[in-house]
Amino acid sequence: MKKEKVHDRIIRVASDLFYKQGYNSTGINQIIAEADIAIGSLYNHFSSKNDLLQAYLIKEEKDWFEGFENSIANIQEPKEKIIAVIDYRKKLQQSSRFAGCHFIKIISEIGDGNTVVSDFVKKHKDKQKEMIRVIITEYSDKEQLEDSSLMADHIFLLIEGAVVTSTISKKNDSFDQVKKMIKGLLP
């Protein structure tokens, strides 16, 4: 088994802590202690806690889209791909024990005070919406939807709402409801 690089271990530990207890509640000393590194090692890899936060967001975005691509890799039909988006988000909620979306959590904690972070999160959500838009356009090419762009926006909002609702309720019922709604919207 390959030994984890210090850089990767720092990001892994910081990511776990930022997600579980929040960015503001996570101190550099805790990251250093839990990563089992010297303070100099941290600053050799990251110039600041904010720099580490950006690395966390990049890692989570990469993981998110890789996970999604893997979840639809063998699906051909656009309607089934949309259902797979819902199932993927549901699976993420289950695996996190309903802890919520990394990006929603960080933007709610940081707000617009850090424009690099808020811009990154906005772009990430735009990429998710665009991913849905591409699938819906593919669907519309076969089924002739009246307004595929509006449909993609609706589906994106329904899924995001399901994430928030399941985070609050600690249940996945909202994803099942969204799946039924979308199946009804897509002929």
Side-chain angles (χ1 to χ4, degrees):
M1 190 166 163
K2 195 167 131 176
K3 187 175 178 185
E4 184 178 34
K5 294 178 181 177
V6 172
H7 180 269
D8 296 339
R9 185 171 60 218
I10 295 168
I11 292 174
R12 179 182 51 78
V13 168
S15 295
D16 289 346
L17 293 171
F18 292 163
Y19 186 62
K20 288 177 184 167
Q21 65 190 36
Y23 175 76
N24 292 329
S25 297
T26 301
I28 290 292
N29 290 336
Q30 183 182 15
I31 295 168
I32 290 166
E34 293 197 24
D36 195 25
I37 58 168
I39 192 167
S41 292
L42 178 82
Y43 289 109
N44 282 339
H45 295 281
F46 302 97
S47 61
S48 66
K49 184 179 170 189
N50 193 54
D51 191 29
L52 188 52
L53 173 60
Q54 290 173 31
Y56 157 69
L57 292 172
I58 291 167
K59 173 198 171 295
E60 291 305 325
E61 180 172 72
K62 179 179 174 279
D63 291 350
W64 196 99
F65 283 104
E66 281 179 7
F68 173 73
E69 289 299 324
N70 290 337
S71 73
I72 66 161
N74 297 318
I75 301 173
Q76 299 301 316
E77 290 298 315
K79 188 173 183 177
E80 293 306 313
K81 287 181 185 179
I82 291 296
I83 299 305
V85 174
I86 301 164
D87 291 338
Y88 177 62
R89 297 299 294 273
K90 181 178 180 177
K91 182 180 107 182
L92 291 176
Q93 280 294 88
Q94 287 172 316
S95 65
S96 73
R97 295 190 185 114
F98 304 99
C101 170
H102 295 268
F103 302 93
I104 293 171
K105 287 177 78 159
I106 201 67
I107 199 72
S108 66
E109 185 176 3
I110 301 292
D112 287 333
N114 182 328
T115 56
V116 172
V117 172
S118 61
D119 287 349
F120 187 93
V121 171
K122 288 173 189 169
K123 286 177 185 169
H124 172 78
K125 290 298 180 180
D126 286 344
K127 285 180 190 178
Q128 287 182 355
K129 193 186 301 184
E130 181 59 26
M131 170 200 73
I132 292 169
R133 190 175 322 284
V134 166
I135 297 169
I136 290 299
T137 300
E138 183 183 342
Y139 178 84
S140 184
D141 289 346
K142 290 181 175 183
E143 300 295 331
Q144 303 302 309
L145 290 176
E146 191 172 310
D147 189 343
S148 61
S149 183
L150 183 61
M151 180 65 72
D153 288 345
H154 288 167
I155 290 170
F156 172 78
L157 290 172
L158 285 168
I159 294 170
E160 289 298 302
V163 171
V164 172
T165 301
S166 71
T167 301
I168 294 166
S169 69
K170 306 296 184 213
K171 296 178 189 173
N172 268 332
D173 300 4
S174 56
F175 291 101
D176 299 330
Q177 291 170 345
V178 166
K179 201 183 292 191
K180 285 178 189 174
M181 285 184 238
I182 291 172
K183 285 180 178 180
L185 290 171
L186 299 176

